[in-house]
């Protein structure tokens, strides 16, 4: 969503690099470009004025003039000021000491409250809580049914005593205030520790909407009132946020549709204008596309510094510790990296979600945005299909995969032989890199330089130089020709039948580099 803002700010800071000292004119030009970038991103004008004033004041002070690298100091100042307008610090839910924690959702119709109720309940469930949803939106057609569907996807119970309306022409007969009150009582009776109340919205702010929201708030006395706002609605976000803040006095903000392609700056203005923190963000269609909002991490994303902490947290939530320990032990034992290991690692990565989103969290990802946007997520499916088309023998001993086997794998996975060949080449390179790391060598370093504190593979003793010398052929021409022919036959047998030739010829099993104990699969 903030691609345009990120690109403009990166270009502005690029002009400062290489300057040992910044003049007042340089700072004025930089602040001017930052102001234009924020206004183009649809950030509210009062927020832009305050932001640029703080940046200019700090940039003209001793903080920058005494810095060893003034350009990096400017970036640091902008990063800190961005964190400030985004709320400063991460704000977490205030959980009740006794009884269920009551969370009320408020906002305009179409902002995504019902969908977000399911995402929030799923997120809380993963945190170890037992949430329950309450359907108090009785006026939007099929709102109750939608909440029940969302709740089933999240695996959370839904309290819905009233079916609501099925069309906009039906009159609302139920009392949403009473439904909310009964829902809290039901959660307390069934020992749910969190209650999420979904309320009705309107296409615009009106007195009836605010009165109903206030009545529900007075009836259930919630611990948190979350204002759900569409991050794509533009400058009207500020006016809507002020209206709800005056009418309901919400305690936090949730940004929905943050994965859209709108400029989104107005949504970032809400925290600064209302003084209420942004607590959560919805980043996709799935129930898992939901995350806690961290102002410092969002500021780093906007400035193309990446969000490695969120990436690590996401990996920790989905990564199989037993599989990680197994791979670590295999790496320590210097065993070969096989296609079975490759498939297991790929499945672990897929659990983390979209590869595009993961890569965009890396520092400097904005410079590769065009390539990342062209990345085909189905490529992972094709690679997995190729590996699954291999036999168990082929996965652990890829050297036996000759031409006929590659043709069979290509037919089984629905790809071309060239795609199989490309995967085999990339896998061979990965194997070499893993071997070098296991042997204590850094790939790409001159002379295969070893890492400190690690011995080379095969022990630290040097082999006798006599053993390293290449054996010379016999002086007899006939005998030398016989030796060369025997060596050629042995090399051809070791390669197997890569091109469909001599498949029945015997060869030395030691040249196959098979894993330990694999002889039983060959009937030996």
């Amino acid at each position: 969503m903030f691609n345009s803002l990120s690109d403009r700010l990166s270009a502005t800071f690029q002009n400062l690099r290489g300057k040992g000292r910044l003049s007042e004119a340089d700072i004025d030009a930089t602040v001017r470009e930052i102001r234009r970038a924020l206004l183009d991103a649809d950030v509210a004008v009062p927020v832009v004025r305050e932001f640029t004033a703080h940046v200019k004041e700090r940039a003209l002070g001793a903080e920058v003039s005494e810095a060893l690298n003034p350009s990096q100091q400017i970036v640091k100042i902008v990063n800190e000021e961005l964190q400030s307008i985004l709320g400063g610090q991460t704000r977490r839910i205030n959980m009740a000491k006794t009884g269920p924690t009551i969370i009320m959702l408020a906002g305009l119709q179409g902002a995504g409250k019902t969908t977000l109720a399911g995402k929030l309940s799923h997120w809380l469930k993963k945190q170890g809580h037992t949430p329950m949803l309450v359907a108090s939106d009785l006026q939007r057609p099929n709102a109750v049914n939608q909440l029940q569907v969302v709740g089933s996807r999240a695996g959370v119970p839904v309290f819905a005593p009233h079916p609501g309306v099925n069309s906009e022409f039906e009159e609302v007969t139920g009392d949403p205030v009473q439904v909310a009150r009964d829902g809290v009582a039901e959660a307390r009776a069934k020992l749910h520790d969190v209650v999420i109340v979904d309320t009705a919205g309107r296409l615009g702010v009106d007195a009836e909407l605010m009165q109903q929201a206030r009545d529900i708030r007075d009836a259930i006395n919630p611990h948190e009132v979350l204002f759900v706002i569409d991050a794509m609605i533009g400058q009207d976000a500020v006016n809507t946020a002020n209206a709800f803040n005056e009418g309901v006095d919400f305690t936090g903000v949730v940004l929905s549709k943050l994965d859209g392609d709108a400029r989104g700056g107005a949504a970032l203005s809400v925290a600064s204008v209302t003084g209420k923190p942004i607590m959560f963000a919805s980043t996709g269609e799935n129930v898992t596309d939901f995350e806690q909002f961290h102002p410092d991490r969002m500021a780093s994303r906007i400035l193309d510094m990446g969000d490695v902490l969120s990436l690590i947290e996401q990996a920790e939530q989905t990564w199989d510790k037993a599989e990680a320990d197994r791979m670590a032990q295999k790496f320590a034992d210097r065993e070969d990296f096989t296609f079975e290991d490759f498939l297991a690692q790929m499945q672990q990565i897929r659990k983390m979600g979209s590869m595009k989103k993961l890569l965009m969290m890396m520092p400097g990802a904005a410079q590769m945005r065009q390539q990342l946007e062209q990345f085909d997520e189905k490529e992972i499916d094709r690679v997995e299909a190729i590996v699954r088309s291999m036999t168990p023998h082929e996965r652990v001993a890829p050297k036996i995969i000759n031409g006929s086997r590659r043709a069979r794998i290509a037919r089984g996975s629905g790809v071309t032989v060239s795609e199989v060949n490309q995967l085999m080449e990339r896998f061979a390179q990965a194997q070499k890199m893993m071997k070098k790391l296991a042997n204590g060598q850094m790939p790409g370093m001159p002379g295969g330089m070893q890492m400190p504190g690690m011995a080379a593979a095969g022990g630290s003793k040097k082999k006798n130089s006599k053993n390293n010398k290449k054996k010379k052929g016999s002086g007899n021409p006939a005998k030398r020709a016989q030796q060369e022919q025997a060596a050629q036959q042995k090399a051809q047998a070791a390669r197997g039948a890569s091109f469909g030739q001599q498949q029945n010829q015997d060869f030395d099993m030691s040249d196959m580099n098979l894993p330990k104990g694999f002889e039983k699969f060959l009937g030996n």
Side-chain angles (χ1 to χ4, degrees):
M1 170 164 282
F2 307 111
N3 292 346
S4 176
L5 176 60
S6 178
D7 292 342
R8 291 286 299 271
L9 291 177
S10 297
T12 301
F13 299 140
Q14 186 78 22
N15 297 330
L16 297 177
R17 291 182 181 176
K19 293 188 177 183
R21 185 177 182 85
L22 298 182
S23 64
E24 187 172 350
D26 292 332
I27 294 175
D28 287 339
T30 301
V31 172
R32 191 183 309 115
E33 288 299 320
I34 293 174
R35 182 186 299 110
R36 289 175 179 172
L38 294 174
L39 291 175
D40 287 345
D42 221 9
V43 179
V45 175
V47 178
V48 174
R49 288 174 180 167
E50 183 180 0
F51 180 86
T52 53
H54 288 171
V55 171
K56 185 174 182 178
E57 181 183 357
R58 294 180 60 182
L60 291 174
E63 186 175 355
V64 171
S65 62
E66 297 178 359
L68 294 176
N69 194 324
S71 62
Q72 291 184 1
Q73 197 68 17
I74 292 288
V75 175
K76 177 176 178 291
I77 292 173
V78 173
N79 184 32
E80 293 174 353
E81 293 299 328
L82 270 178
Q83 294 180 33
S84 179
I85 68 170
L86 292 174
Q89 296 180 346
T90 303
R91 164 77 153 74
R92 305 184 185 277
I93 295 178
N94 291 323
M95 305 300 292
K97 295 181 179 179
T98 58
T101 301
I102 304 171
I103 301 174
M104 172 182 166
L105 303 182
L108 294 179
Q109 185 174 312
K113 293 190 303 299
T114 303
T115 304
L116 192 130
K119 293 181 178 181
L120 177 59
S121 63
H122 181 267
W123 183 83
L124 288 168
K125 186 177 179 181
K126 286 171 57 178
Q127 304 295 320
H129 299 285
T130 56
M132 187 184 80
L133 300 175
V134 178
S136 291
D137 184 358
L138 306 180
Q139 66 187 35
R140 182 171 64 86
N142 294 316
V144 175
N145 184 43
Q146 181 189 357
L147 188 66
Q148 290 173 331
V149 172
V150 170
S152 65
R153 290 178 180 174
V156 174
V158 179
F159 180 76
H162 196 282
V165 296
N166 295 321
S167 72
E168 57 184 4
F169 303 105
E170 292 184 32
E171 292 186 3
V172 180
T173 56
D175 183 6
V177 179
Q178 187 61 42
V179 170
R181 188 183 292 113
D182 294 343
V184 174
E186 178 77 4
R188 186 175 286 108
K190 292 189 176 181
L191 303 178
H192 290 279
D193 65 345
V194 179
V195 185
I196 302 173
V197 181
D198 181 28
T199 64
R202 297 284 196 281
L203 296 177
V205 177
D206 57 23
E208 184 181 357
L209 167 66
M210 288 303 169
Q211 186 60 49
Q212 185 183 105
R214 277 195 296 268
D215 292 343
I216 293 177
R217 173 166 187 152
D218 294 340
I220 63 177
N221 193 23
H223 301 88
E224 296 281 6
V225 179
L226 302 183
F227 171 56
V228 183
I229 186 170
D230 185 347
M232 303 173 66
I233 66 174
Q235 283 294 326
D236 194 47
V238 177
N239 298 330
T240 305
N242 281 327
F244 271 90
N245 192 31
E246 294 174 2
V248 189
D249 189 22
F250 57 80
T251 60
V253 180
V254 181
L255 297 180
S256 65
K257 307 177 187 177
L258 202 61
D259 57 323
D261 56 359
R263 289 176 289 183
L268 299 183
S269 310
V270 171
S272 180
V273 171
T274 63
K276 303 299 175 62
I278 302 174
M279 296 177 60
F280 298 100
S282 175
T283 58
E285 297 291 335
N286 297 325
V287 71
T288 56
D289 295 332
F290 180 82
E291 59 186 37
Q292 192 157 33
F293 190 87
H294 301 276
D296 54 341
R297 301 182 189 180
M298 180 56 69
S300 294
R301 290 189 197 183
I302 293 174
L303 295 178
D304 196 24
M305 297 178 182
D307 188 2
V308 180
L309 286 177
S310 295
L311 192 62
I312 293 173
E313 288 179 358
Q314 200 165 344
E316 288 177 343
Q317 293 173 3
T318 58
W319 205 258
D320 187 353
K321 189 177 184 303
E323 176 64 23
D325 292 342
R326 185 188 72 83
M327 282 301 302
Q329 185 60 43
K330 188 168 187 176
F331 185 80
D333 293 342
R334 299 179 183 177
E335 297 181 16
D336 279 345
F337 184 72
T338 67
F339 271 112
E340 288 285 1
D341 304 323
F342 177 73
L343 185 62
Q345 296 299 304
M346 192 162 55
Q347 290 173 341
Q348 293 290 334
I349 294 175
R350 292 193 66 171
K351 290 180 183 178
M352 295 174 63
S354 169
M355 283 295 296
K356 287 184 182 180
K357 290 184 179 179
L358 296 177
L359 293 173
M360 286 304 294
M361 292 184 184
M362 299 300 293
Q367 301 173 13
M368 303 181 293
R369 186 180 298 124
Q370 187 174 2
Q371 292 92 323
L372 291 177
E373 289 176 353
Q374 295 174 353
F375 176 77
D376 186 6
E377 296 278 356
K378 293 184 179 179
E379 179 65 24
I380 301 177
D381 297 331
R382 286 191 284 268
V383 171
E384 184 173 353
I386 293 173
V387 178
R388 290 191 180 280
S389 295
M390 300 176 184
T391 64
H393 183 187
E394 291 168 342
R395 294 181 195 175
V396 297
K399 287 188 177 182
I400 69 170
I401 303 179
N402 53 29
S404 60
R405 290 176 184 264
R406 296 187 188 202
R408 189 208 75 238
I409 293 169
R411 289 194 301 270
S413 56
V415 300
T416 63
V417 177
S418 62
E419 290 180 272
V420 177
N421 292 337
Q422 290 172 6
L423 176 62
M424 296 295 297
E425 290 175 5
R426 295 197 300 266
F427 181 77
Q429 293 172 359
Q431 270 190 323
K432 290 179 181 178
M433 183 185 70
M434 296 291 284
K435 283 182 178 179
K436 287 184 178 181
L437 290 173
N439 293 337
Q441 296 176 347
M442 291 293 289
M445 296 186 72
M449 187 181 297
Q450 289 181 281
M451 296 174 63
M454 296 188 68
S460 58
K461 294 182 179 179
K462 294 183 179 180
K463 294 182 178 180
N464 194 330
S465 59
K466 293 183 180 180
N467 296 333
N468 294 332
K469 291 183 179 179
K470 188 176 180 180
K471 293 183 178 180
K472 295 182 179 180
S474 173
N476 189 332
K479 191 173 182 181
R480 185 167 62 245
Q482 202 174 29
Q483 289 175 344
E484 290 176 356
Q485 184 179 4
Q488 289 178 359
Q489 290 177 353
K490 184 178 180 181
Q492 188 174 5
R495 286 194 299 268
S498 300
F499 300 96
Q501 298 177 350
Q502 300 185 12
Q503 295 185 10
N504 297 325
Q505 187 172 348
D506 295 333
F507 52 87
D508 189 358
M509 293 298 298
S510 62
D511 292 329
M512 294 295 294
N513 195 24
L514 296 176
K516 296 178 181 179
F518 199 79
E519 292 80 8
K520 61 181 180 181
F521 290 100
L522 304 178
N524 294 336

